[in-house]
Amino acid sequence: MLKRNLVIFAALLFGMAVTGFQCASTELTSAKLYIQQKNYDKALESLQKEVQKNPKSDEGYYLLGVVYGEQEKYKDMVDAYSKSLEASPKFDADIKNSKKYFWANLFNKGVNYYQRGSKTEDKDSSKIFYDKSTLAFENSIFVEPDSVDSYRNLAFVYLSQGKNDEAVEPLRTVVEKDTAAEGFRFLGEILYNKGNQAAATDSVKAQGYYDDAIKVLEKGRKYNPADSDILLLLSNSYIAAKKIEVAKDAFKAGIEADPKNQYYRYNYGVILLGAEDYAGAEEQFLKAIEIDPGYENAVYNLAVTYVRWGTAISKEAEEKGETNTEYKKKYEAALPYLEKVVEKKSDDAQVWELIGRVYTILGMQDKATNAFNKADAIRKR
């Protein structure tokens, strides 16, 4: 899963205007006094009487919204503010400031509860904090539905709990409202993984998820053309959806427009590797490494290309009943790149197992045994 970081805002404090006592009804005058005393139940009684007597009371509905907000009845608050504005625009600025005030309080509560949940080791306590964080962000969205950060943080709270399905809808809103790479990465990854999960039992459903992921990631790529995570997820989604030719054309066009872009080179290589065009994949990964020698994913996938290439040569010869030692040259070509990878990823069991297989095929038994032992040790941790 990609790294998640909640957006955190400092508390935004907006005072809620309670206008003076001039020319007001008895109910309004009483309500303002009760609000100043923080006696919200009594204020509510007075204001309900006010709006019953005067259904067009812009100030009555405005103050009613303030009281509902203090009582954490946010649906009623928003409804009261709407009725105030229907009556007149007089309290428009006050209502905007009030919504910002309540939104900021809710938002920061959400962040605070999330942080407490993430730091709590007890699972039950952690769940309670996460649930409170979720509710706070949901209410902040209700108060200020245009705030993209509320949707983003709500999605991250869900993701932190492994509730990927629940994270989909807020992430869809994020990518509608914002062009930053993060939302596209997370939503694309969820949809791609859902496609993989469905593939074993329902190919039609899986295809729908892959197509959805491609749509999201293509949009993300448009706004973030150099984001390697988006490009990798997009190429994997193309391959899973069996849209190899579309993928080839898309990444080939990117390379032609920007031949020194290592990410385009890498992702075109991934597509070609998926299509079993080993020579083509080799060329693109080598180019990516030439542009960026520290590009670990390109180094690893070049090694994988050589391993799969060697396996394909061996299998073809076996099927034909022929002897062809050319496959060993491909494994030999893979070895220095795999050794470079394990220098950087010494705790990756999968890489140790792969290099162990290569050592075995090349007759390097001591190194093979050592590699397999390391893979086993890592898995037992």
Side-chain angles (χ1 to χ4, degrees), residues 6-157:
L6 259 67
V7 176
I8 300 174
F9 286 128
L12 302 174
L13 300 178
F14 293 88
M16 288 173 289
V18 178
T19 55
F21 293 90
Q22 66 273 26
C23 300
S25 68
T26 301
E27 287 78 15
L28 283 176
T29 301
S30 299
K32 291 172 185 175
L33 181 60
Y34 288 134
I35 290 172
Q36 289 176 352
Q37 295 172 346
K38 299 187 184 301
N39 189 341
Y40 298 119
D41 289 338
K42 284 290 186 181
L44 186 61
E45 288 180 17
S46 295
L47 290 167
Q48 286 173 337
K49 290 177 182 177
E50 164 67 14
V51 297
Q52 285 173 2
K53 287 171 57 178
N54 182 10
K56 297 293 184 181
S57 176
D58 50 7
E59 187 173 14
Y61 279 116
Y62 161 62
L63 293 176
L64 196 58
V66 171
V67 171
Y68 281 136
E70 293 293 346
Q71 293 181 325
E72 300 184 2
K73 298 176 180 178
Y74 300 110
K75 185 179 185 302
D76 292 332
M77 179 192 80
V78 171
D79 183 59
Y81 284 156
S82 296
K83 289 179 179 177
S84 175
L85 294 173
E86 286 174 10
S88 86
K90 180 179 177 180
F91 293 94
D92 181 60
D94 295 318
I95 288 170
K96 286 178 179 175
N97 282 339
S98 179
K99 283 185 175 182
K100 288 177 182 177
Y101 168 82
F102 286 113
W103 172 84
N105 282 347
L106 288 164
F107 189 95
N108 287 311
K109 278 184 181 179
V111 172
N112 180 262
Y113 285 133
Y114 171 81
Q115 291 175 333
R116 292 173 71 180
S118 63
K119 293 175 182 177
T120 302
E121 293 184 4
D122 181 75
K123 289 184 178 180
D124 292 335
S125 297
S126 181
K127 182 181 183 303
I128 290 171
F129 285 126
Y130 281 138
D131 288 345
K132 288 183 176 182
S133 179
T134 297
L135 180 60
F137 285 126
E138 286 176 342
N139 282 327
S140 75
I141 288 169
F142 191 80
V143 173
E144 288 284 6
D146 290 332
S147 172
V148 68
D149 290 312
S150 292
Y151 292 97
R152 181 182 289 113
N153 280 11
L154 176 61
F156 291 170
V157 175

Side-chain angles (χ1 to χ4, degrees), residues 20 51 60 70 91 157 168 192 226 259 264 272 332 335 357 371:
V51 297
E70 293 293 346
F91 293 94
V157 175
V168 169
Y192 170 70
Y264 286 168
L272 295 173
E332 289 169 356
L335 192 54
R357 286 171 48 205

